[in-house]
């Protein structure tokens, strides 16, 4: 079942095409990473999904229903958009009490649980305005999760969190998807973090969805090559070609991209040593995820 479905969705603000004919789907229980630079259209898409702004064209459906004032499934949606707004002069507990009343929840049962889950128990009586940025983000997540939504839409949820907090949120989201079948739409500009948690990634650039890829397929898309330097690269290139290894010379380095060369660099080194052209440098280069992301949006 598709929990999120968009068809040829577009949104323009004046001369800016914020969302450009985007069609995508997110299945039940899936963690979908929505990746893009700042200004790429991530937040606009989230606002369209939540009905906070209307599209100029195309369709946007949640739970296979058109959004509208008569729909009741909004109670199944939790969200955190950009800045986690709260009442600054109310405590953490009081902010959660307000959310409970708005959602018709019994606060005695849900507030202690969500405080514990988001590690906010020590700060329950502290006013929101006196919280650190990381704990303000935790409070925003607590408000999004308190009613146990079936769909969770999060915009940059790890902003302001320390490394330990990032890991805790990552594990929490995995647990929600795996144990509770919660569908999670996760927006970020950090591919390395998204890749650790999502099952599928959509890359948006200038409002257009330019690529979708399974997280498990990322490694096969990353550029890998064996880089070698010798005192005579042209001779080394000829020697390797005679042995069945094609190499190019780039920036005074020999580069080999075959799997055999990358997986067995010691064999390449042995060949060169045996032909009196030993390597002075030899290493396997692997493109990091951020460079992969930047390469994709520039293609």
């Amino acid at each position: 079942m598709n929990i999120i479905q968009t068809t040829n969705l577009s949104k323009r603000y004046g001369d800016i095409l914020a969302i450009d004919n985007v069609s995508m789907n997110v299945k039940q229980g899936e963690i979908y990473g929505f990746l893009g630079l700042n200004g790429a259209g991530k937040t606009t898409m989230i606002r369209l999904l939540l009905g906070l702004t209307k599209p100029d064209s195309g369709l946007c459906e949640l739970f296979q229903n058109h959004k509208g004032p008569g729909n009741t499934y909004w109670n199944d949606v939790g969200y955190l958009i950009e800045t986690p707004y709260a009442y600054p002069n109310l405590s953490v507990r009081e902010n959660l009490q307000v959310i409970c009343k708005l959602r018709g929840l019994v606060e005695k049962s849900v507030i202690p649980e969500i405080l514990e889950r988001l590690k906010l128990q020590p700060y329950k009586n502290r006013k929101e305005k006196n919280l650190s940025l990381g704990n303000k983000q935790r409070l925003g997540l607590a408000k999004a999760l308190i009613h146990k939504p079936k769909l969770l839409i999060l915009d940059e949820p790890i902003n302001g969190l320390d490394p330990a907090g990032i890991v805790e949120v990552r594990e929490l989201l995995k647990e929600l998807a795996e144990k509770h079948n919660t569908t999670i739409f996760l927006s970020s500009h950090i591919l390395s973090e998204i890749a650790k948690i999502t099952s599928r990634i959509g890359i948006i650039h200038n409002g257009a969805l330019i690529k979708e890829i399974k997280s498990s397929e990322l490694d096969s898309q990353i550029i890998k090559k064996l880089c070698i330097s010798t005192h005579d690269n042209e001779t080394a290139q000829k020697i390797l070609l005679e042995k069945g290894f094609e190499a190019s010379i780039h920036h005074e380095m020999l580069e080999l991209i075959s799997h055999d060369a990358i997986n067995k660099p010691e064999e390449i080194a042995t060949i060169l040593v045996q032909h009196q052209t030993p390597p002075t440098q030899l290493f396997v280069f692997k493109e990091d995820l951020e460079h992969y992301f930047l390469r994709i949006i520039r293609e």
Side-chain angles (χ1 to χ4, degrees), residues 201-225:
I201 296 169
I203 298 177
I204 186 171
H205 187 58
N206 292 332
L209 188 65
I210 61 172
K211 189 177 185 68
E212 281 190 307
I213 184 172
K214 292 180 181 178
S215 297
S216 60
E217 296 173 348
L218 267 177
D219 191 63
S220 65
Q221 303 265 328
I222 297 295
I223 291 174
K224 300 173 189 174
K225 55 190 175 183

Side-chain angles (χ1 to χ4, degrees), residues 196-267:
K196 293 173 184 174
I197 185 174
T198 55
S199 52
R200 205 155 46 100
I201 296 169
I203 298 177
I204 186 171
H205 187 58
N206 292 332
L209 188 65
I210 61 172
K211 189 177 185 68
E212 281 190 307
I213 184 172
K214 292 180 181 178
S215 297
S216 60
E217 296 173 348
L218 267 177
D219 191 63
S220 65
Q221 303 265 328
I222 297 295
I223 291 174
K224 300 173 189 174
K225 55 190 175 183
L226 178 63
C227 299
I228 304 170
S229 179
T230 71
H231 289 303
D232 187 348
N233 285 342
E234 290 184 359
T235 298
Q237 184 184 33
K238 292 176 183 177
I239 292 168
L240 291 174
L241 186 59
E242 290 173 358
K243 297 296 182 180
F245 294 98
E246 188 171 341
S248 60
I249 299 176
H250 188 66
H251 293 311
E252 299 183 353
M253 296 285 291
L254 285 165
E255 295 183 353
L256 296 85
I257 61 173
S258 72
H259 291 296
D260 287 343
I262 293 168
N263 294 330
K264 297 179 180 179
E266 68 280 1
E267 290 188 10

Side-chain angles (χ1 to χ4, degrees), residues 129-148:
K129 66 181 180 181
N130 295 326
L131 293 175
S132 67
L133 179 60
N135 282 327
K136 287 182 179 183
Q137 196 74 5
R138 290 173 189 268
L139 177 56
L141 285 167
K143 290 162 64 179
L145 290 167
I146 197 168
H147 59 298
K148 298 180 173 64

Side-chain angles (χ1 to χ4, degrees), residues 14-282:
D15 295 332
I16 299 173
L17 187 58
I19 297 295
D20 183 8
N21 202 41
V22 171
S23 295
M24 67 177 186
N25 65 77
V26 182
K27 295 177 173 56
Q28 187 172 11
E30 183 177 18
I31 303 180
Y32 185 93
F34 198 54
L35 184 74
L37 300 173
N38 291 332
K42 303 190 302 295
T43 300
T44 299
M45 175 59 76
I46 286 179
R47 294 179 69 84
L48 287 166
L49 293 177
L50 293 172
L52 298 176
T53 188
K54 292 182 179 180
D56 295 321
S57 60
L59 293 176
C60 180
E61 298 172 286
L62 302 183
F63 303 98
Q64 297 185 334
N65 288 292
H66 294 290
K67 298 191 299 299
N71 288 311
T72 59
Y73 59 76
W74 290 113
N75 291 330
D76 293 328
V77 180
Y79 58 88
L80 174 62
I81 309 176
E82 296 182 296
T83 305
Y85 293 106
Y87 296 100
N89 290 312
L90 297 183
S91 69
V92 168
R93 177 185 287 276
E94 288 167 339
N95 267 285
L96 294 176
Q97 286 172 337
V98 170
I99 296 299
C100 284
K101 288 180 180 179
L102 290 173
R103 290 197 173 274
L105 302 174
V106 180
E107 62 184 65
K108 286 184 180 179
S109 61
V110 296
I111 290 181
E113 179 183 343
I114 201 68
L115 286 171
E116 185 68 28
R117 179 173 266 190
L118 271 301
K119 303 291 191 294
L120 284 169
Q121 192 70 28
Y123 311 100
K124 63 183 179 181
N125 295 319
R126 186 173 297 183
K127 289 184 178 182
E128 190 273 348
K129 66 181 180 181
N130 295 326
L131 293 175
S132 67
L133 179 60
N135 282 327
K136 287 182 179 183
Q137 196 74 5
R138 290 173 189 268
L139 177 56
L141 285 167
K143 290 162 64 179
L145 290 167
I146 197 168
H147 59 298
K148 298 180 173 64
K150 296 177 182 177
L151 170 62
L152 192 57
I153 298 177
L154 303 175
D155 189 10
E156 304 283 3
I158 62 173
N159 274 359
L161 296 177
D162 58 24
I166 291 172
V167 172
E168 288 167 5
V169 169
R170 185 195 307 152
E171 294 306 312
L172 171 61
L173 296 180
K174 284 183 180 179
E175 179 187 340
L176 288 169
E178 293 170 3
K179 295 185 178 180
H180 303 283
N181 210 25
T182 304
T183 305
I184 301 172
F185 184 88
L186 179 63
S187 160
S188 180
H189 65 280
I190 307 173
L191 176 55
S192 56
E193 190 56 40
I194 273 191
K196 293 173 184 174
I197 185 174
T198 55
S199 52
R200 205 155 46 100
I201 296 169
I203 298 177
I204 186 171
H205 187 58
N206 292 332
L209 188 65
I210 61 172
K211 189 177 185 68
E212 281 190 307
I213 184 172
K214 292 180 181 178
S215 297
S216 60
E217 296 173 348
L218 267 177
D219 191 63
S220 65
Q221 303 265 328
I222 297 295
I223 291 174
K224 300 173 189 174
K225 55 190 175 183
L226 178 63
C227 299
I228 304 170
S229 179
T230 71
H231 289 303
D232 187 348
N233 285 342
E234 290 184 359
T235 298
Q237 184 184 33
K238 292 176 183 177
I239 292 168
L240 291 174
L241 186 59
E242 290 173 358
K243 297 296 182 180
F245 294 98
E246 188 171 341
S248 60
I249 299 176
H250 188 66
H251 293 311
E252 299 183 353
M253 296 285 291
L254 285 165
E255 295 183 353
L256 296 85
I257 61 173
S258 72
H259 291 296
D260 287 343
I262 293 168
N263 294 330
K264 297 179 180 179
E266 68 280 1
E267 290 188 10
I268 305 298
T270 299
I271 291 169
L272 293 175
V273 169
Q274 289 174 344
H275 288 77
Q276 288 75 51
T277 315
T280 55
Q281 271 190 303
L282 184 148

